[in-house]
DNA sequence: CCGGATCCGGTCTGATACTG
DNA sequence: CAGTATCAGACCGGATCCGG
């Protein structure tokens, strides 16, 4: 079943901060989720509706991973049915600096990029 | 054969700078290669010897992609046999800012990280 | 209806062997 | 040494299914 909550990321052989960080958010979706969270989105639905179209299976997996990694926390905001609101931890909010650097680079060097929202 | 030089990344439906940037360097290896290049490494061998152990097939593919993306350029520094030295373009060097943000975050939030080099 | 789990085909990864 | 070929297995992504 969900016995493989964590699988492909079990490691710890690298000490370089770049490698360590990329092991956590070095994939195409994680930082996009963080971006949305920084922009105020909180629910599963809101995250799933982003224009990039993240598959639900990937979204659920990333939310799980980000929570295990201490990047986000989930809190039930209603019972029956239970619904969770995902929010960034301090550690997660700190990724805003990384995103900012990425945004600056993208705006400057990737044609077709538009000022976000 | 290598007819699929670019496949899974060919598109441009996203306008968000974050998504655009991640489409280029949003994988586990690309930024590590850029990191090494920033640190002065230039040859295939030097890049392949990094402690993270990038597979040669992946390294060759990433070098190709990074060159197509205008992040690096390759120049033959000797004939018979031909040997190429890979160097960052201005666009590639600018990624140093992104790496810097990543390093800062990693050092602060990922336990076990050591000051690079 | 919403959040997510499950299935499944296709792609990519990564280890190793191989070639010029 | 630089890069390619190969191949099994991991992962992605789209669709569908299910519990609440």
């Amino acid at each position: 079943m969900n016995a493989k909550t964590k699988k492909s990321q079990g490691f710890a052989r690298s000490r370089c901060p770049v490698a360590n960080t990329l092991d956590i958010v070095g994939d195409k979706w994680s930082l996009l989720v963080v971006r949305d969270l920084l922009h105020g989105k909180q629910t599963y639905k809101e995250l799933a509706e982003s224009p990039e179209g993240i598959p639900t299976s990937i979204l659920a997996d990333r939310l799980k991973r980000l929570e295990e990694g201490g990047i986000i926390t989930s809190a039930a905001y209603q019972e029956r049915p239970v619904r969770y609101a995902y929010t960034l931890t301090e550690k997660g909010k700190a990724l805003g600096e990384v995103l900012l650097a990425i945004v600056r680079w993208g705006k400057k060097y990737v044609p077709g990029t538009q000022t976000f929202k």
Side-chain angles (χ1 to χ4, degrees), chain A:
Chain A
M1 292 59 184
N2 57 8
K4 75 279 268 353
T5 295
K6 44 166 57 186
K7 51 209 160 202
S8 66
Q9 71 163 343
F11 54 98
R13 71 187 94 126
S14 50
R15 268 131 264 147
C16 167
V18 177
N20 280 338
T21 302
L22 292 179
D23 280 333
I24 301 175
V25 295
D27 69 282
K28 192 169 67 175
W29 298 111
S30 297
L31 282 179
L32 287 176
V33 171
V34 172
R35 174 202 63 181
D36 288 343
L37 257 18
L38 277 173
H39 278 276
K41 294 186 180 180
Q42 294 196 120
T43 67
Y44 189 94
K45 186 188 179 194
E46 290 175 319
L47 295 170
E49 285 173 344
S50 281
E52 287 82 15
I54 182 171
T56 63
S57 50
I58 303 288
L59 176 55
D61 181 70
R62 290 301 183 280
L63 287 173
K64 198 179 301 174
R65 280 231 270 248
L66 290 173
E67 188 165 10
E68 289 172 355
I71 308 292
I72 66 175
T73 54
S74 62
Y77 66 88
Q78 85 170 35
E79 303 293 326
R80 6 206 356 47
V82 183
R83 289 288 181 265
Y84 296 95
Y86 300 94
T87 52
L88 292 165
T89 59
E90 186 204 346
K91 180 177 176 180
K93 287 177 187 165
L95 281 172
E97 291 301 313
V98 174
L99 282 169
L100 195 56
I102 288 176
V103 168
R104 288 208 192 94
W105 189 88
K107 282 189 186 174
K108 185 167 182 180
Y109 294 102
V110 183
T113 293
Q114 65 180 26
T115 303
F116 187 64
K117 178 57 70 47

